[in-house]
Amino acid sequence: TYHASHPDIFALQPDGTRGGGETPYPSAGRVKMCKTNPDGWELWLNEVEAARTANPAQNAFGAGPNDGWFSGWCVCEDCLAWDHPDGEPRNFSWRGFSQPYVALSDRHVTYANILARLLKERYPDEEYYVIMSAYGHTRPPPIEAVPDDNVIISSVANFLFRRENVDRGSSWGTRHVDQFKGWGKVAPHIAWRPNTGHRGFWQQGFPHVPLRETAEEFKIAADHNAMRIFIDSVWEHWSTQGPLYYLMAHLAWDPDQDPDALMQDYYERAFGPASGPMSAYWQLQESTPDFSDYDEAVFSRANAYIDQALDAASGAPTKIRERIEYVRTGLTFTQLMTENHALMARYNDSGGKDGEAEAKLLENWEQIGQLSLKQPYAMNWRRNEPRHGRTARFHPHGRDATIRLPYRE
């Protein structure tokens, strides 16, 4: 927006150019700003005013950087002066040039504090906040800078479902959960914004439902100043992950609740006389956290629980049996996709020449298409079309934009 009128608000690069301009670095969507330029602060305040006009209820305003957390940061003397020399060494890149440098957390907190104070000066009667992200090379907590009371740190600490996860950008091998706890010691307000990653093919809708683990992680967030939560990529795969969504919603409201009591209430109200076998079904899913753990024995047990549930609900209202069948849709989808994963290994090993594997893959995808027609809300079928990157690995013609599941026609 401002590359022609305000070129100096963009990040200075080591070669003397600015990140904006006709050839932005690293790209137009990932260009960085010079945090110390007052012109940039004023433009930000003007955008806040525009946002207030568009939505008078808005009370928090983002000041976080674009994505591409390792590249293109400003190297002007003023910005470098905001960095703490004792920060964790991280690997940075610029156009044709890379080198280690310290984490930028102190720089970003200092910048957020300046904007927060300007916000108070301009709107003294409003309770407004600045949101600054702690992501990539700002994941480590700051060494000296302390966020003001009207600064919210949006921590992209990826410990949801994976508490031992180590930050891949950390040269010290620091866990995400420990970075989050570090921010909790200095920041008065934290928004927890975890990426869900690829654990157990969660985003494809496999039944990854770590209920007790999730309850513990919500409690960690709450105990370290989390005031807001936004979980990346909850794709609404209700037939395979519904109980976990239910639990997360309740814990977001009150993280001190007993997760076992919450889930027992869920099973009883959702499945009535079939709550026993359905509870056993979901406990089996919880104890099978990765798609590679799904084998014939697991599917046999899971289907047996569904059959028991249908028998127990034989005299119950129709909606109870419909809910059980809805869950079976997710189980059938999981079986087909697990088989597809193995078939794709065969197909790829043959260089795409295994016709038998290809035919079976296409047959399985036809069945998935029929499931999408029968139960359009059981899964987020759009996210599981083979044209999407993460799903392409399950289809012999993956990434073909013409492939659509039939419910969308």
mmCIF file of all heavy atoms in Angstrom, residues 231-273:
data_model
loop_
_atom_site.group_PDB
_atom_site.id
_atom_site.type_symbol
_atom_site.label_atom_id
_atom_site.label_comp_id
_atom_site.label_asym_id
_atom_site.label_seq_id
_atom_site.Cartn_x
_atom_site.Cartn_y
_atom_site.Cartn_z
ATOM 1 N N ILE A 231 -7.200 -21.351 17.910
ATOM 2 C CA ILE A 231 -6.493 -22.548 17.477
ATOM 3 C C ILE A 231 -6.511 -22.614 15.962
ATOM 4 O O ILE A 231 -7.570 -22.588 15.343
ATOM 5 C CB ILE A 231 -7.135 -23.805 18.090
ATOM 6 C CG1 ILE A 231 -7.062 -23.728 19.618
ATOM 7 C CG2 ILE A 231 -6.442 -25.066 17.588
ATOM 8 C CD1 ILE A 231 -7.860 -24.798 20.318
ATOM 9 N N ASP A 232 -5.338 -22.722 15.375
ATOM 10 C CA ASP A 232 -5.222 -22.759 13.925
ATOM 11 C C ASP A 232 -5.743 -24.080 13.363
ATOM 12 O O ASP A 232 -5.434 -25.152 13.884
ATOM 13 C CB ASP A 232 -3.749 -22.587 13.538
ATOM 14 C CG ASP A 232 -3.516 -22.754 12.054
ATOM 15 O OD1 ASP A 232 -4.036 -21.932 11.287
ATOM 16 O OD2 ASP A 232 -2.840 -23.714 11.671
ATOM 17 N N SER A 233 -6.534 -23.994 12.316
ATOM 18 C CA SER A 233 -6.943 -25.164 11.516
ATOM 19 C C SER A 233 -7.804 -26.165 12.270
ATOM 20 O O SER A 233 -7.542 -27.363 12.267
ATOM 21 C CB SER A 233 -5.708 -25.866 10.929
ATOM 22 O OG SER A 233 -5.002 -24.988 10.092
ATOM 23 N N VAL A 234 -8.825 -25.678 12.934
ATOM 24 C CA VAL A 234 -9.881 -26.562 13.432
ATOM 25 C C VAL A 234 -10.906 -26.655 12.303
ATOM 26 O O VAL A 234 -11.758 -25.789 12.135
ATOM 27 C CB VAL A 234 -10.532 -26.004 14.717
ATOM 28 C CG1 VAL A 234 -11.640 -26.932 15.206
ATOM 29 C CG2 VAL A 234 -9.476 -25.840 15.809
ATOM 30 N N TRP A 235 -10.831 -27.730 11.524
ATOM 31 C CA TRP A 235 -11.552 -27.784 10.255
ATOM 32 C C TRP A 235 -12.966 -28.361 10.365
ATOM 33 O O TRP A 235 -13.610 -28.617 9.368
ATOM 34 C CB TRP A 235 -10.758 -28.592 9.229
ATOM 35 C CG TRP A 235 -9.513 -27.919 8.760
ATOM 36 C CD1 TRP A 235 -8.240 -28.361 8.915
ATOM 37 C CD2 TRP A 235 -9.407 -26.669 8.073
ATOM 38 N NE1 TRP A 235 -7.351 -27.467 8.355
ATOM 39 C CE2 TRP A 235 -8.048 -26.423 7.833
ATOM 40 C CE3 TRP A 235 -10.346 -25.728 7.628
ATOM 41 C CZ2 TRP A 235 -7.591 -25.287 7.177
ATOM 42 C CZ3 TRP A 235 -9.880 -24.596 6.979
ATOM 43 C CH2 TRP A 235 -8.529 -24.382 6.756
ATOM 44 N N GLU A 236 -13.430 -28.595 11.574
ATOM 45 C CA GLU A 236 -14.807 -29.069 11.773
ATOM 46 C C GLU A 236 -15.045 -30.447 11.152
ATOM 47 O O GLU A 236 -15.989 -30.648 10.397
ATOM 48 C CB GLU A 236 -15.822 -28.041 11.265
ATOM 49 C CG GLU A 236 -15.682 -26.702 11.986
ATOM 50 C CD GLU A 236 -16.865 -25.785 11.751
ATOM 51 O OE1 GLU A 236 -18.014 -26.247 11.835
ATOM 52 O OE2 GLU A 236 -16.633 -24.596 11.472
ATOM 53 N N HIS A 237 -14.178 -31.375 11.517
ATOM 54 C CA HIS A 237 -14.391 -32.781 11.172
ATOM 55 C C HIS A 237 -15.171 -33.417 12.330
ATOM 56 O O HIS A 237 -14.618 -34.131 13.164
ATOM 57 C CB HIS A 237 -13.049 -33.480 10.965
ATOM 58 C CG HIS A 237 -12.208 -32.894 9.882
ATOM 59 N ND1 HIS A 237 -12.632 -32.828 8.567
ATOM 60 C CD2 HIS A 237 -10.962 -32.336 9.903
ATOM 61 C CE1 HIS A 237 -11.678 -32.269 7.825
ATOM 62 N NE2 HIS A 237 -10.668 -31.955 8.609
ATOM 63 N N TRP A 238 -16.475 -33.159 12.345
ATOM 64 C CA TRP A 238 -17.279 -33.456 13.527
ATOM 65 C C TRP A 238 -17.395 -34.949 13.830
ATOM 66 O O TRP A 238 -17.473 -35.345 14.986
ATOM 67 C CB TRP A 238 -18.675 -32.844 13.365
ATOM 68 C CG TRP A 238 -18.633 -31.356 13.388
ATOM 69 C CD1 TRP A 238 -18.636 -30.510 12.314
ATOM 70 C CD2 TRP A 238 -18.526 -30.517 14.539
ATOM 71 N NE1 TRP A 238 -18.542 -29.205 12.727
ATOM 72 C CE2 TRP A 238 -18.480 -29.177 14.079
ATOM 73 C CE3 TRP A 238 -18.471 -30.770 15.906
ATOM 74 C CZ2 TRP A 238 -18.383 -28.099 14.958
ATOM 75 C CZ3 TRP A 238 -18.372 -29.691 16.774
ATOM 76 C CH2 TRP A 238 -18.336 -28.377 16.301
ATOM 77 N N SER A 239 -17.415 -35.798 12.816
ATOM 78 C CA SER A 239 -17.629 -37.218 13.081
ATOM 79 C C SER A 239 -16.380 -37.926 13.591
ATOM 80 O O SER A 239 -16.461 -39.040 14.097
ATOM 81 C CB SER A 239 -18.130 -37.927 11.821
ATOM 82 O OG SER A 239 -17.149 -37.872 10.798
ATOM 83 N N THR A 240 -15.234 -37.288 13.471
ATOM 84 C CA THR A 240 -14.004 -37.894 13.963
ATOM 85 C C THR A 240 -13.360 -37.119 15.106
ATOM 86 O O THR A 240 -12.535 -37.671 15.839
ATOM 87 C CB THR A 240 -12.960 -38.014 12.828
ATOM 88 O OG1 THR A 240 -12.736 -36.714 12.261
ATOM 89 C CG2 THR A 240 -13.433 -38.977 11.750
ATOM 90 N N GLN A 241 -13.731 -35.843 15.272
ATOM 91 C CA GLN A 241 -13.080 -35.014 16.294
ATOM 92 C C GLN A 241 -14.071 -34.253 17.166
ATOM 93 O O GLN A 241 -13.671 -33.456 18.017
ATOM 94 C CB GLN A 241 -12.112 -34.033 15.614
ATOM 95 C CG GLN A 241 -11.004 -34.712 14.828
ATOM 96 C CD GLN A 241 -10.213 -33.762 13.960
ATOM 97 O OE1 GLN A 241 -10.479 -32.556 13.906
ATOM 98 N NE2 GLN A 241 -9.215 -34.287 13.241
ATOM 99 N N GLY A 242 -15.369 -34.502 16.975
ATOM 100 C CA GLY A 242 -16.393 -33.742 17.680
ATOM 101 C C GLY A 242 -16.229 -33.664 19.184
ATOM 102 O O GLY A 242 -16.352 -32.578 19.774
ATOM 103 N N PRO A 243 -15.961 -34.780 19.887
ATOM 104 C CA PRO A 243 -15.795 -34.688 21.340
ATOM 105 C C PRO A 243 -14.675 -33.743 21.762
ATOM 106 O O PRO A 243 -14.793 -33.045 22.766
ATOM 107 C CB PRO A 243 -15.481 -36.142 21.746
ATOM 108 C CG PRO A 243 -16.127 -36.968 20.692
ATOM 109 C CD PRO A 243 -15.948 -36.179 19.425
ATOM 110 N N LEU A 244 -13.599 -33.693 20.978
ATOM 111 C CA LEU A 244 -12.503 -32.791 21.327
ATOM 112 C C LEU A 244 -12.914 -31.340 21.147
ATOM 113 O O LEU A 244 -12.568 -30.475 21.964
ATOM 114 C CB LEU A 244 -11.278 -33.104 20.472
ATOM 115 C CG LEU A 244 -10.018 -32.305 20.796
ATOM 116 C CD1 LEU A 244 -9.597 -32.490 22.243
ATOM 117 C CD2 LEU A 244 -8.875 -32.697 19.866
ATOM 118 N N TYR A 245 -13.679 -31.035 20.094
ATOM 119 C CA TYR A 245 -14.178 -29.670 19.917
ATOM 120 C C TYR A 245 -15.050 -29.265 21.105
ATOM 121 O O TYR A 245 -14.971 -28.132 21.602
ATOM 122 C CB TYR A 245 -15.001 -29.556 18.637
ATOM 123 C CG TYR A 245 -14.295 -29.890 17.344
ATOM 124 C CD1 TYR A 245 -15.027 -30.216 16.207
ATOM 125 C CD2 TYR A 245 -12.910 -29.866 17.230
ATOM 126 C CE1 TYR A 245 -14.406 -30.514 15.006
ATOM 127 C CE2 TYR A 245 -12.274 -30.167 16.034
ATOM 128 C CZ TYR A 245 -13.039 -30.492 14.927
ATOM 129 O OH TYR A 245 -12.422 -30.787 13.739
ATOM 130 N N TYR A 246 -15.900 -30.198 21.523
ATOM 131 C CA TYR A 246 -16.788 -29.941 22.660
ATOM 132 C C TYR A 246 -15.971 -29.630 23.911
ATOM 133 O O TYR A 246 -16.246 -28.657 24.628
ATOM 134 C CB TYR A 246 -17.663 -31.179 22.874
ATOM 135 C CG TYR A 246 -18.630 -31.088 24.038
ATOM 136 C CD1 TYR A 246 -19.904 -30.545 23.858
ATOM 137 C CD2 TYR A 246 -18.281 -31.572 25.290
ATOM 138 C CE1 TYR A 246 -20.805 -30.489 24.922
ATOM 139 C CE2 TYR A 246 -19.176 -31.508 26.353
ATOM 140 C CZ TYR A 246 -20.429 -30.968 26.166
ATOM 141 O OH TYR A 246 -21.316 -30.905 27.210
ATOM 142 N N LEU A 247 -14.956 -30.455 24.155
ATOM 143 C CA LEU A 247 -14.131 -30.257 25.340
ATOM 144 C C LEU A 247 -13.395 -28.926 25.275
ATOM 145 O O LEU A 247 -13.349 -28.182 26.266
ATOM 146 C CB LEU A 247 -13.135 -31.415 25.468
ATOM 147 C CG LEU A 247 -12.199 -31.345 26.680
ATOM 148 C CD1 LEU A 247 -12.991 -31.502 27.973
ATOM 149 C CD2 LEU A 247 -11.106 -32.413 26.584
ATOM 150 N N MET A 248 -12.818 -28.593 24.119
ATOM 151 C CA MET A 248 -12.068 -27.347 23.999
ATOM 152 C C MET A 248 -12.969 -26.135 24.225
ATOM 153 O O MET A 248 -12.549 -25.149 24.846
ATOM 154 C CB MET A 248 -11.392 -27.268 22.633
ATOM 155 C CG MET A 248 -10.244 -28.252 22.471
ATOM 156 S SD MET A 248 -9.178 -27.956 21.024
ATOM 157 C CE MET A 248 -10.331 -28.214 19.675
ATOM 158 N N ALA A 249 -14.195 -26.202 23.728
ATOM 159 C CA ALA A 249 -15.118 -25.077 23.920
ATOM 160 C C ALA A 249 -15.416 -24.867 25.401
ATOM 161 O O ALA A 249 -15.408 -23.736 25.897
ATOM 162 C CB ALA A 249 -16.411 -25.331 23.150
ATOM 163 N N HIS A 250 -15.666 -25.964 26.121
ATOM 164 C CA HIS A 250 -15.953 -25.844 27.554
ATOM 165 C C HIS A 250 -14.733 -25.378 28.334
ATOM 166 O O HIS A 250 -14.853 -24.575 29.266
ATOM 167 C CB HIS A 250 -16.455 -27.180 28.095
ATOM 168 C CG HIS A 250 -17.925 -27.388 27.871
ATOM 169 N ND1 HIS A 250 -18.880 -26.958 28.768
ATOM 170 C CD2 HIS A 250 -18.603 -27.953 26.852
ATOM 171 C CE1 HIS A 250 -20.084 -27.265 28.313
ATOM 172 N NE2 HIS A 250 -19.944 -27.875 27.145
ATOM 173 N N LEU A 251 -13.555 -25.879 27.995
ATOM 174 C CA LEU A 251 -12.352 -25.489 28.722
ATOM 175 C C LEU A 251 -11.950 -24.055 28.412
ATOM 176 O O LEU A 251 -11.356 -23.379 29.260
ATOM 177 C CB LEU A 251 -11.211 -26.442 28.393
ATOM 178 C CG LEU A 251 -11.400 -27.887 28.862
ATOM 179 C CD1 LEU A 251 -10.240 -28.751 28.394
ATOM 180 C CD2 LEU A 251 -11.543 -27.967 30.382
ATOM 181 N N ALA A 252 -12.249 -23.576 27.200
ATOM 182 C CA ALA A 252 -11.984 -22.171 26.892
ATOM 183 C C ALA A 252 -12.829 -21.255 27.779
ATOM 184 O O ALA A 252 -12.419 -20.155 28.135
ATOM 185 C CB ALA A 252 -12.258 -21.888 25.415
ATOM 186 N N TRP A 253 -14.023 -21.751 28.135
ATOM 187 C CA TRP A 253 -14.896 -20.988 29.028
ATOM 188 C C TRP A 253 -14.414 -21.084 30.471
ATOM 189 O O TRP A 253 -14.376 -20.091 31.201
ATOM 190 C CB TRP A 253 -16.324 -21.516 28.915
ATOM 191 C CG TRP A 253 -17.306 -20.857 29.815
ATOM 192 C CD1 TRP A 253 -17.835 -21.356 30.976
ATOM 193 C CD2 TRP A 253 -17.886 -19.566 29.653
ATOM 194 N NE1 TRP A 253 -18.702 -20.454 31.539
ATOM 195 C CE2 TRP A 253 -18.756 -19.338 30.732
ATOM 196 C CE3 TRP A 253 -17.762 -18.568 28.675
ATOM 197 C CZ2 TRP A 253 -19.486 -18.165 30.876
ATOM 198 C CZ3 TRP A 253 -18.492 -17.394 28.818
ATOM 199 C CH2 TRP A 253 -19.339 -17.217 29.911
ATOM 200 N N ASP A 254 -14.021 -22.302 30.903
ATOM 201 C CA ASP A 254 -13.572 -22.512 32.277
ATOM 202 C C ASP A 254 -12.572 -23.670 32.295
ATOM 203 O O ASP A 254 -12.960 -24.834 32.344
ATOM 204 C CB ASP A 254 -14.755 -22.824 33.192
ATOM 205 C CG ASP A 254 -14.325 -23.079 34.636
ATOM 206 O OD1 ASP A 254 -13.124 -22.935 34.935
ATOM 207 O OD2 ASP A 254 -15.192 -23.428 35.462
ATOM 208 N N PRO A 255 -11.276 -23.366 32.269
ATOM 209 C CA PRO A 255 -10.262 -24.415 32.181
ATOM 210 C C PRO A 255 -10.101 -25.234 33.450
ATOM 211 O O PRO A 255 -9.348 -26.215 33.452
ATOM 212 C CB PRO A 255 -8.984 -23.639 31.855
ATOM 213 C CG PRO A 255 -9.225 -22.281 32.391
ATOM 214 C CD PRO A 255 -10.686 -22.015 32.222
ATOM 215 N N ASP A 256 -10.792 -24.855 34.533
ATOM 216 C CA ASP A 256 -10.699 -25.617 35.782
ATOM 217 C C ASP A 256 -11.713 -26.754 35.857
ATOM 218 O O ASP A 256 -11.744 -27.491 36.853
ATOM 219 C CB ASP A 256 -10.894 -24.685 36.987
ATOM 220 C CG ASP A 256 -9.722 -23.730 37.163
ATOM 221 O OD1 ASP A 256 -8.568 -24.170 36.943
ATOM 222 O OD2 ASP A 256 -9.938 -22.560 37.512
ATOM 223 N N GLN A 257 -12.525 -26.911 34.828
ATOM 224 C CA GLN A 257 -13.519 -27.976 34.866
ATOM 225 C C GLN A 257 -12.857 -29.351 34.756
ATOM 226 O O GLN A 257 -11.770 -29.500 34.188
ATOM 227 C CB GLN A 257 -14.515 -27.806 33.710
ATOM 228 C CG GLN A 257 -15.371 -26.557 33.828
ATOM 229 C CD GLN A 257 -16.325 -26.430 32.654
ATOM 230 O OE1 GLN A 257 -17.438 -26.934 32.694
ATOM 231 N NE2 GLN A 257 -15.869 -25.769 31.598
ATOM 232 N N ASP A 258 -13.549 -30.356 35.299
ATOM 233 C CA ASP A 258 -13.080 -31.735 35.256
ATOM 234 C C ASP A 258 -13.361 -32.302 33.870
ATOM 235 O O ASP A 258 -14.519 -32.466 33.487
ATOM 236 C CB ASP A 258 -13.812 -32.557 36.323
ATOM 237 C CG ASP A 258 -13.399 -34.023 36.331
ATOM 238 O OD1 ASP A 258 -12.652 -34.449 35.435
ATOM 239 O OD2 ASP A 258 -13.851 -34.754 37.240
ATOM 240 N N PRO A 259 -12.321 -32.625 33.078
ATOM 241 C CA PRO A 259 -12.561 -33.101 31.714
ATOM 242 C C PRO A 259 -13.326 -34.420 31.671
ATOM 243 O O PRO A 259 -14.133 -34.639 30.759
ATOM 244 C CB PRO A 259 -11.161 -33.241 31.125
ATOM 245 C CG PRO A 259 -10.253 -33.369 32.300
ATOM 246 C CD PRO A 259 -10.880 -32.551 33.385
ATOM 247 N N ASP A 260 -13.095 -35.290 32.632
ATOM 248 C CA ASP A 260 -13.812 -36.572 32.637
ATOM 249 C C ASP A 260 -15.308 -36.354 32.858
ATOM 250 O O ASP A 260 -16.143 -37.004 32.218
ATOM 251 C CB ASP A 260 -13.250 -37.495 33.724
ATOM 252 C CG ASP A 260 -11.836 -37.965 33.405
ATOM 253 O OD1 ASP A 260 -11.502 -38.046 32.207
ATOM 254 O OD2 ASP A 260 -11.071 -38.227 34.347
ATOM 255 N N ALA A 261 -15.648 -35.431 33.761
ATOM 256 C CA ALA A 261 -17.063 -35.141 34.015
ATOM 257 C C ALA A 261 -17.704 -34.496 32.788
ATOM 258 O O ALA A 261 -18.857 -34.806 32.442
ATOM 259 C CB ALA A 261 -17.202 -34.231 35.233
ATOM 260 N N LEU A 262 -16.975 -33.601 32.132
ATOM 261 C CA LEU A 262 -17.500 -32.967 30.931
ATOM 262 C C LEU A 262 -17.797 -34.002 29.852
ATOM 263 O O LEU A 262 -18.852 -33.967 29.206
ATOM 264 C CB LEU A 262 -16.489 -31.953 30.386
ATOM 265 C CG LEU A 262 -16.390 -30.603 31.095
ATOM 266 C CD1 LEU A 262 -15.192 -29.831 30.566
ATOM 267 C CD2 LEU A 262 -17.662 -29.803 30.915
ATOM 268 N N MET A 263 -16.871 -34.933 29.659
ATOM 269 C CA MET A 263 -17.065 -35.913 28.602
ATOM 270 C C MET A 263 -18.157 -36.917 28.950
ATOM 271 O O MET A 263 -18.905 -37.360 28.074
ATOM 272 C CB MET A 263 -15.745 -36.636 28.305
ATOM 273 C CG MET A 263 -14.648 -35.731 27.754
ATOM 274 S SD MET A 263 -15.226 -34.533 26.504
ATOM 275 C CE MET A 263 -15.930 -35.617 25.267
ATOM 276 N N GLN A 264 -18.281 -37.280 30.226
ATOM 277 C CA GLN A 264 -19.360 -38.182 30.605
ATOM 278 C C GLN A 264 -20.712 -37.539 30.338
ATOM 279 O O GLN A 264 -21.651 -38.191 29.842
ATOM 280 C CB GLN A 264 -19.239 -38.560 32.085
ATOM 281 C CG GLN A 264 -20.217 -39.636 32.533
ATOM 282 C CD GLN A 264 -20.067 -40.925 31.751
ATOM 283 O OE1 GLN A 264 -18.955 -41.318 31.386
ATOM 284 N NE2 GLN A 264 -21.179 -41.580 31.454
ATOM 285 N N ASP A 265 -20.817 -36.246 30.624
ATOM 286 C CA ASP A 265 -22.054 -35.516 30.331
ATOM 287 C C ASP A 265 -22.314 -35.496 28.823
ATOM 288 O O ASP A 265 -23.455 -35.656 28.374
ATOM 289 C CB ASP A 265 -21.935 -34.086 30.873
ATOM 290 C CG ASP A 265 -23.169 -33.251 30.599
ATOM 291 O OD1 ASP A 265 -24.263 -33.638 31.048
ATOM 292 O OD2 ASP A 265 -23.037 -32.221 29.916
ATOM 293 N N TYR A 266 -21.255 -35.318 28.057
ATOM 294 C CA TYR A 266 -21.368 -35.317 26.590
ATOM 295 C C TYR A 266 -21.920 -36.649 26.099
ATOM 296 O O TYR A 266 -22.878 -36.698 25.313
ATOM 297 C CB TYR A 266 -19.992 -35.043 25.982
ATOM 298 C CG TYR A 266 -19.909 -35.201 24.482
ATOM 299 C CD1 TYR A 266 -20.230 -34.150 23.630
ATOM 300 C CD2 TYR A 266 -19.496 -36.402 23.922
ATOM 301 C CE1 TYR A 266 -20.146 -34.289 22.254
ATOM 302 C CE2 TYR A 266 -19.401 -36.558 22.543
ATOM 303 C CZ TYR A 266 -19.728 -35.496 21.715
ATOM 304 O OH TYR A 266 -19.639 -35.646 20.359
ATOM 305 N N TYR A 267 -21.321 -37.758 26.538
ATOM 306 C CA TYR A 267 -21.740 -39.070 26.051
ATOM 307 C C TYR A 267 -23.185 -39.367 26.441
ATOM 308 O O TYR A 267 -23.967 -39.904 25.645
ATOM 309 C CB TYR A 267 -20.823 -40.162 26.602
ATOM 310 C CG TYR A 267 -19.380 -39.996 26.198
ATOM 311 C CD1 TYR A 267 -18.348 -40.104 27.133
ATOM 312 C CD2 TYR A 267 -19.033 -39.717 24.877
ATOM 313 C CE1 TYR A 267 -17.029 -39.951 26.770
ATOM 314 C CE2 TYR A 267 -17.709 -39.551 24.504
ATOM 315 C CZ TYR A 267 -16.704 -39.667 25.459
ATOM 316 O OH TYR A 267 -15.395 -39.509 25.092
ATOM 317 N N GLU A 268 -23.555 -39.002 27.655
ATOM 318 C CA GLU A 268 -24.907 -39.306 28.115
ATOM 319 C C GLU A 268 -25.954 -38.489 27.374
ATOM 320 O O GLU A 268 -27.016 -39.004 26.997
ATOM 321 C CB GLU A 268 -25.007 -39.066 29.626
ATOM 322 C CG GLU A 268 -24.211 -40.091 30.444
ATOM 323 C CD GLU A 268 -24.228 -39.777 31.925
ATOM 324 O OE1 GLU A 268 -24.808 -38.727 32.318
ATOM 325 O OE2 GLU A 268 -23.656 -40.569 32.706
ATOM 326 N N ARG A 269 -25.677 -37.223 27.155
ATOM 327 C CA ARG A 269 -26.668 -36.379 26.478
ATOM 328 C C ARG A 269 -26.704 -36.624 24.977
ATOM 329 O O ARG A 269 -27.739 -36.476 24.345
ATOM 330 C CB ARG A 269 -26.405 -34.900 26.777
ATOM 331 C CG ARG A 269 -26.730 -34.542 28.218
ATOM 332 C CD ARG A 269 -26.784 -33.051 28.469
ATOM 333 N NE ARG A 269 -25.496 -32.412 28.284
ATOM 334 C CZ ARG A 269 -25.234 -31.501 27.356
ATOM 335 N NH1 ARG A 269 -26.171 -31.135 26.507
ATOM 336 N NH2 ARG A 269 -24.041 -30.942 27.280
ATOM 337 N N ALA A 270 -25.557 -36.990 24.396
ATOM 338 C CA ALA A 270 -25.511 -37.211 22.950
ATOM 339 C C ALA A 270 -26.046 -38.581 22.565
ATOM 340 O O ALA A 270 -26.720 -38.722 21.537
ATOM 341 C CB ALA A 270 -24.086 -37.052 22.437
ATOM 342 N N PHE A 271 -25.765 -39.605 23.394
ATOM 343 C CA PHE A 271 -26.036 -40.974 22.975
ATOM 344 C C PHE A 271 -26.974 -41.750 23.901
ATOM 345 O O PHE A 271 -27.259 -42.919 23.633
ATOM 346 C CB PHE A 271 -24.717 -41.736 22.825
ATOM 347 C CG PHE A 271 -23.768 -41.103 21.850
ATOM 348 C CD1 PHE A 271 -22.601 -40.489 22.289
ATOM 349 C CD2 PHE A 271 -24.049 -41.084 20.489
ATOM 350 C CE1 PHE A 271 -21.726 -39.892 21.398
ATOM 351 C CE2 PHE A 271 -23.182 -40.488 19.586
ATOM 352 C CZ PHE A 271 -22.020 -39.889 20.040
ATOM 353 N N GLY A 272 -27.456 -41.103 24.960
ATOM 354 C CA GLY A 272 -28.466 -41.737 25.816
ATOM 355 C C GLY A 272 -28.082 -43.138 26.261
ATOM 356 O O GLY A 272 -27.002 -43.337 26.833
ATOM 357 N N PRO A 273 -28.924 -44.147 25.977
ATOM 358 C CA PRO A 273 -28.640 -45.510 26.426
ATOM 359 C C PRO A 273 -27.409 -46.132 25.784
ATOM 360 O O PRO A 273 -26.928 -47.168 26.244
ATOM 361 C CB PRO A 273 -29.908 -46.281 26.020
ATOM 362 C CG PRO A 273 -30.506 -45.488 24.907
ATOM 363 C CD PRO A 273 -30.209 -44.065 25.237
#
